[in-house]
Protein backbone atom coordinates (compact mmCIF):
# COMPACT_ATOMS: atom_id res chain seq x y z
CA UNK A 1 0.00 0.00 0.00
CA UNK A 2 3.03 2.32 0.07
CA UNK A 3 2.38 3.40 -3.52
CA UNK A 4 -1.20 4.32 -2.65
CA UNK A 5 -0.07 6.77 0.03
CA UNK A 6 2.58 8.26 -2.23
CA UNK A 7 0.12 8.87 -5.04
CA UNK A 8 -2.34 10.43 -2.60
CA UNK A 9 0.49 12.72 -1.43
CA UNK A 10 1.06 13.76 -5.02
CA UNK A 11 -2.63 14.52 -5.36
CA UNK A 12 -2.60 16.66 -2.21
CA UNK A 13 0.43 18.59 -3.45
CA UNK A 14 -1.33 19.25 -6.72
CA UNK A 15 -4.43 20.80 -5.17
CA UNK A 16 -2.80 22.79 -2.37
CA UNK A 17 -2.01 26.40 -3.23
CA UNK A 18 0.95 26.59 -0.87
CA UNK A 19 1.96 22.95 -0.93
CA UNK A 20 5.55 23.36 0.19
CA UNK A 21 4.85 25.74 3.06
CA UNK A 22 1.54 24.46 4.38
CA UNK A 23 1.78 20.67 3.99
CA UNK A 24 4.03 18.85 6.45
CA UNK A 25 2.31 15.49 6.79
CA UNK A 26 0.35 12.91 4.83
CA UNK A 27 -3.05 11.58 5.83
CA UNK A 28 -4.21 8.12 4.86
CA UNK A 29 -7.70 7.88 3.37
CA UNK A 30 -9.95 5.45 5.23
CA UNK A 31 -11.30 2.07 4.17
CA UNK A 32 -13.99 3.57 1.95
CA UNK A 33 -11.17 4.11 -0.57
CA UNK A 34 -8.12 2.15 0.63
CA UNK A 35 -8.33 -1.65 0.74
CA UNK A 36 -6.00 -4.63 0.83
CA UNK A 37 -5.76 -4.26 -2.97
CA UNK A 38 -3.67 -1.62 -4.78
CA UNK A 39 -5.25 1.83 -5.16
CA UNK A 40 -3.23 3.98 -7.57
CA UNK A 41 -3.48 6.93 -9.97
CA UNK A 42 -5.96 9.21 -8.10
CA UNK A 43 -7.62 12.06 -10.02
CA UNK A 44 -10.20 14.46 -8.58
CA UNK A 45 -13.05 15.45 -10.92
CA UNK A 46 -13.15 19.21 -11.71
CA UNK A 47 -16.33 19.63 -9.64
CA UNK A 48 -14.35 18.45 -6.59
CA UNK A 49 -17.06 15.98 -5.59
CA UNK A 50 -15.66 12.77 -7.06
CA UNK A 51 -12.37 10.94 -6.56
CA UNK A 52 -11.46 8.62 -9.43
CA UNK A 53 -8.64 6.06 -9.13
CA UNK A 54 -7.50 2.68 -10.41
CA UNK A 55 -7.83 -0.46 -8.30
CA UNK A 56 -5.75 -3.48 -9.25
CA UNK A 57 -6.49 -7.21 -8.86
CA UNK A 58 -9.87 -6.74 -7.22
CA UNK A 59 -12.26 -9.69 -7.78
CA UNK A 60 -14.96 -7.28 -9.02
CA UNK A 61 -12.73 -5.88 -11.77
CA UNK A 62 -13.70 -6.70 -15.34
CA UNK A 63 -10.91 -9.27 -15.59
CA UNK A 64 -11.21 -10.44 -11.99
CA UNK A 65 -8.18 -10.85 -9.75
CA UNK A 66 -5.81 -10.92 -12.73
CA UNK A 67 -7.03 -7.50 -13.89
CA UNK A 68 -4.21 -4.93 -13.58
CA UNK A 69 -6.64 -2.11 -12.87
CA UNK A 70 -10.21 -0.91 -13.33
CA UNK A 71 -11.37 2.66 -12.73
CA UNK A 72 -13.35 3.22 -9.52
CA UNK A 73 -14.97 6.36 -8.11
CA UNK A 74 -15.85 7.63 -4.64
CA UNK A 75 -18.26 10.51 -3.96
CA UNK A 76 -17.37 13.27 -1.52
CA UNK A 77 -19.44 13.29 1.66
CA UNK A 78 -19.63 15.65 4.62
CA UNK A 79 -17.12 13.62 6.63
CA UNK A 80 -14.85 12.34 3.85
CA UNK A 81 -15.27 10.05 0.85
CA UNK A 82 -18.10 7.58 0.44
CA UNK A 83 -17.67 3.90 -0.50
CA UNK A 84 -15.91 3.50 -3.85
CA UNK A 85 -17.77 1.89 -6.73
CA UNK A 86 -16.41 0.50 -9.98
CA UNK A 87 -17.29 2.72 -12.94
CA UNK A 88 -19.58 0.80 -15.27
CA UNK A 89 -19.24 1.01 -19.03
CA UNK A 90 -16.60 0.73 -21.75
CA UNK A 91 -13.84 2.68 -19.99
CA UNK A 92 -13.09 -0.52 -18.04
CA UNK A 93 -11.95 -3.74 -19.66
CA UNK A 94 -9.73 -6.66 -18.68
CA UNK A 95 -6.52 -4.67 -19.25
CA UNK A 96 -5.11 -1.77 -17.19
CA UNK A 97 -7.41 1.26 -17.12
CA UNK A 98 -6.37 4.60 -15.66
CA UNK A 99 -7.38 8.27 -15.92
CA UNK A 100 -4.95 11.01 -16.96
CA UNK A 101 -7.32 13.94 -16.32
CA UNK A 102 -10.52 15.72 -17.31
CA UNK A 103 -11.50 18.64 -19.50
CA UNK A 104 -12.43 21.85 -17.67
CA UNK A 105 -16.15 21.05 -17.80
CA UNK A 106 -15.51 17.49 -16.57
CA UNK A 107 -17.32 15.89 -19.52
CA UNK A 108 -14.23 14.57 -21.30
CA UNK A 109 -12.07 11.96 -19.61
CA UNK A 110 -8.52 11.37 -20.87
CA UNK A 111 -7.35 7.79 -20.42
CA UNK A 112 -4.14 5.79 -20.58
CA UNK A 113 -3.62 3.51 -23.59
CA UNK A 114 -5.68 2.74 -26.67
CA UNK A 115 -8.80 0.59 -26.45
CA UNK A 116 -9.03 -2.35 -28.84
CA UNK A 117 -11.73 -4.80 -27.94
CA UNK A 118 -10.43 -8.31 -27.37
CA UNK A 119 -6.81 -7.31 -27.92
CA UNK A 120 -3.95 -6.15 -25.73
CA UNK A 121 -4.01 -2.37 -25.55
CA UNK A 122 -1.27 -0.52 -27.36
CA UNK A 123 0.31 2.44 -25.60
CA UNK A 124 -1.19 5.83 -26.25
CA UNK A 125 -3.92 8.17 -24.98
CA UNK A 126 -7.70 7.86 -25.40
CA UNK A 127 -10.68 9.95 -24.41
CA UNK A 128 -14.26 9.22 -23.38
CA UNK A 129 -17.18 11.67 -23.53
CA UNK A 130 -19.94 11.78 -20.93
CA UNK A 131 -23.34 11.44 -22.57
CA UNK A 132 -26.62 11.16 -20.68
CA UNK A 133 -24.72 10.35 -17.51
CA UNK A 134 -22.63 7.57 -19.08
CA UNK A 135 -19.07 7.47 -20.43
CA UNK A 136 -18.75 6.68 -24.14
CA UNK A 137 -16.47 4.08 -25.70
CA UNK A 138 -12.91 5.52 -25.61
CA UNK A 139 -11.31 6.62 -28.87
CA UNK A 140 -7.74 7.57 -29.65
CA UNK A 141 -6.41 11.07 -28.95
CA UNK A 142 -4.22 12.16 -31.90
CA UNK A 143 -0.68 12.89 -30.64
CA UNK A 144 1.88 13.43 -33.39
CA UNK A 145 4.74 10.90 -33.42
CA UNK A 146 3.65 9.28 -30.17
CA UNK A 147 5.91 6.41 -29.15
CA UNK A 148 6.42 4.52 -25.90
CA UNK A 149 8.81 1.57 -25.81
CA UNK A 150 8.26 1.01 -22.09
CA UNK A 151 5.63 -1.14 -20.40
CA UNK A 152 5.03 1.81 -18.08
CA UNK A 153 3.21 5.04 -18.85
CA UNK A 154 2.11 7.85 -16.55
CA UNK A 155 0.72 11.27 -17.38
CA UNK A 156 -1.29 14.26 -16.18
CA UNK A 157 -3.11 17.27 -17.58
CA UNK A 158 -2.10 20.77 -16.49
CA UNK A 159 -4.71 22.99 -14.85
CA UNK A 160 -5.22 24.93 -18.10
CA UNK A 161 -5.99 21.64 -19.93
CA UNK A 162 -3.74 22.75 -22.81
CA UNK A 163 -0.61 20.93 -21.63
CA UNK A 164 -0.11 17.20 -21.04
CA UNK A 165 2.94 15.78 -19.27
CA UNK A 166 3.91 12.21 -20.12
CA UNK A 167 6.38 9.69 -18.72
CA UNK A 168 7.56 7.56 -21.64
CA UNK A 169 10.51 5.77 -23.16
CA UNK A 170 10.42 7.60 -26.47
CA UNK A 171 12.48 9.53 -28.99
CA UNK A 172 15.61 11.16 -27.58
CA UNK A 173 15.27 9.70 -24.09
CA UNK A 174 18.24 9.78 -21.72
CA UNK A 175 17.79 6.31 -20.24
CA UNK A 176 14.61 4.58 -19.16
CA UNK A 177 11.34 6.53 -18.82
CA UNK A 178 11.71 10.31 -19.29
CA UNK A 179 9.23 13.17 -18.88
CA UNK A 180 7.86 14.74 -22.06
CA UNK A 181 5.44 17.58 -22.72
CA UNK A 182 2.83 17.91 -25.46
CA UNK A 183 0.56 20.88 -26.24
CA UNK A 184 -3.05 20.93 -27.40
CA UNK A 185 -3.59 22.43 -30.84
CA UNK A 186 -6.60 24.54 -31.83
CA UNK A 187 -8.01 21.56 -33.78
CA UNK A 188 -7.95 19.32 -30.69
CA UNK A 189 -4.90 17.32 -31.72
CA UNK A 190 -1.67 17.35 -29.71
CA UNK A 191 1.90 18.20 -30.69
CA UNK A 192 4.76 15.71 -30.85
CA UNK A 193 5.98 15.02 -27.27
CA UNK A 194 9.11 17.05 -26.37
CA UNK A 195 11.68 15.68 -23.92
CA UNK A 196 12.19 18.06 -20.97
CA UNK A 197 15.95 17.57 -21.21
CA UNK A 198 18.80 16.47 -18.98
CA UNK A 199 18.06 19.11 -16.34
CA UNK A 200 15.04 16.97 -15.38
CA UNK A 201 15.59 13.54 -16.92
CA UNK A 202 18.32 11.08 -15.93
CA UNK A 203 19.52 7.73 -17.24
CA UNK A 204 17.16 6.16 -14.71
CA UNK A 205 13.38 6.48 -14.35
CA UNK A 206 11.20 9.58 -14.08
CA UNK A 207 7.53 8.88 -13.34
CA UNK A 208 4.22 10.55 -12.41
CA UNK A 209 4.78 14.12 -13.71
CA UNK A 210 2.36 16.70 -12.31
CA UNK A 211 2.31 20.46 -12.90
CA UNK A 212 0.89 22.52 -10.03
CA UNK A 213 -1.77 25.15 -10.65
CA UNK A 214 0.89 27.89 -10.76
CA UNK A 215 1.88 26.40 -14.16
CA UNK A 216 5.53 26.50 -13.03
CA UNK A 217 6.18 23.89 -10.35
CA UNK A 218 6.72 20.35 -11.63
CA UNK A 219 6.38 17.40 -9.24
CA UNK A 220 7.65 13.99 -10.31
CA UNK A 221 9.03 10.71 -9.00
CA UNK A 222 12.55 9.53 -9.85
CA UNK A 223 15.18 7.02 -8.82
CA UNK A 224 17.89 8.99 -10.63
CA UNK A 225 18.62 11.52 -7.86
CA UNK A 226 19.89 11.21 -4.29
CA UNK A 227 16.89 10.54 -2.09
CA UNK A 228 15.70 8.29 0.70
CA UNK A 229 15.97 5.15 -1.40
CA UNK A 230 14.38 3.76 -4.55
CA UNK A 231 11.69 6.09 -6.03
CA UNK A 232 11.24 9.49 -4.33
CA UNK A 233 9.33 12.68 -5.16
CA UNK A 234 11.17 15.76 -6.43
CA UNK A 235 10.15 19.19 -7.64
CA UNK A 236 11.51 21.65 -10.16
CA UNK A 237 10.47 25.16 -11.21
CA UNK A 238 10.01 26.27 -14.80
CA UNK A 239 12.18 29.28 -15.64
CA UNK A 240 10.31 30.45 -18.75
CA UNK A 241 7.94 29.40 -21.51
CA UNK A 242 10.65 27.29 -23.14
CA UNK A 243 10.25 24.73 -20.32
CA UNK A 244 13.81 25.20 -19.05
CA UNK A 245 13.77 24.34 -15.37
CA UNK A 246 15.76 24.52 -12.17
CA UNK A 247 17.67 21.54 -10.85
CA UNK A 248 15.22 19.24 -9.05
CA UNK A 249 15.13 19.31 -5.26
CA UNK A 250 13.10 17.86 -2.43
CA UNK A 251 14.39 14.29 -2.39
CA UNK A 252 16.60 14.60 0.67
Amino acid sequence: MKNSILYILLLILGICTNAFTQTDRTEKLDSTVNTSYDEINPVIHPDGDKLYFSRANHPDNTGGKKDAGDIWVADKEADGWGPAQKVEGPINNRFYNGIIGFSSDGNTMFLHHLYKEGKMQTRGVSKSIKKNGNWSAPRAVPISFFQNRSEHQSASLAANKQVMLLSLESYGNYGAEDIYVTFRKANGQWTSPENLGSQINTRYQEYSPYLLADNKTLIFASNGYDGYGSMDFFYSTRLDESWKATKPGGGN
Side-chain angles (χ1 to χ4, degrees):
M1 297 298 293
K2 178 182 178 183
N3 284 341
S4 301
I5 305 304
L6 289 178
Y7 279 103
I8 293 296
L9 170 60
L10 180 60
L11 177 65
I12 292 171
L13 288 173
I15 62 176
C16 290
T17 303
N18 298 310
F20 300 109
T21 58
Q22 300 296 322
T23 303
D24 58 3
R25 66 188 178 89
T26 61
E27 183 175 338
K28 182 178 179 180
L29 300 189
D30 61 28
S31 59
T32 60
V33 173
N34 286 321
T35 67
S36 59
Y37 302 97
D38 286 338
E39 284 80 33
I40 57 177
N41 197 50
V43 178
I44 289 183
H45 191 270
D47 64 14
D49 291 335
K50 295 182 183 297
L51 171 63
Y52 287 84
F53 61 93
S54 298
R55 177 172 281 163
N57 307 119
H58 192 282
D60 290 340
N61 281 359
T62 305
K65 291 185 177 181
K66 294 183 178 180
D67 193 317
D70 269 5
I71 296 169
W72 293 60
V73 62
D75 291 320
K76 190 175 182 180
E77 298 182 346
D79 57 349
W81 297 100
Q85 304 290 329
K86 191 183 79 169
V87 178
E88 299 299 330
I91 65 170
N92 281 322
N93 57 27
R94 62 189 180 89
F95 305 114
Y96 173 76
N97 309 115
I99 298 176
I100 294 173
F102 292 91
S103 59
S104 296
D105 63 8
N107 291 325
T108 300
M109 175 190 292
F110 291 85
L111 299 152
H112 285 289
H113 306 305
L114 303 180
Y115 283 64
K116 295 185 176 181
E117 189 63 34
K119 298 180 180 179
M120 178 64 70
Q121 294 169 327
T122 57
R123 300 172 187 92
V125 174
S126 298
K127 66 179 180 181
S128 174
I129 310 298
K130 196 169 189 179
K131 298 179 179 179
N132 300 320
N134 298 311
W135 293 104
S136 67
R139 51 192 176 90
V141 172
I143 301 177
S144 300
F145 299 104
F146 182 95
Q147 181 191 62
N148 184 14
R149 297 187 296 269
S150 172
E151 294 181 357
H152 304 286
Q153 176 178 305
S154 54
S156 67
L157 277 176
N160 63 11
K161 312 302 181 185
Q162 304 301 304
V163 176
M164 188 186 305
L165 291 164
L166 298 155
S167 173
L168 310 168
E169 186 177 344
S170 192
Y171 301 107
N173 67 302
Y174 289 86
E177 294 81 5
D178 281 356
I179 298 173
Y180 294 75
V181 61
T182 176
F183 305 95
R184 188 180 186 275
K185 301 178 184 179
N187 63 2
Q189 297 185 0
W190 294 75
T191 62
S192 178
E194 300 175 23
N195 191 295
L196 292 192
S198 59
Q199 189 72 355
I200 297 293
N201 293 312
T202 70
R203 63 191 181 94
Y204 297 100
Q205 295 169 306
E206 279 71 47
Y207 280 159
S208 302
Y210 192 95
L211 191 67
L212 298 191
D214 63 7
N215 204 36
K216 294 181 179 180
T217 307
L218 172 66
I219 309 291
F220 63 97
S222 176
N223 55 13
Y225 296 93
D226 291 335
Y228 293 99
S230 189
M231 192 76 69
D232 286 335
F233 282 120
F234 297 85
Y235 68 91
S236 177
T237 303
R238 289 179 56 207
L239 298 177
D240 52 39
E241 293 304 313
S242 70
W243 287 80
K244 293 180 180 178
T246 61
K247 183 178 180 180
N252 54 17

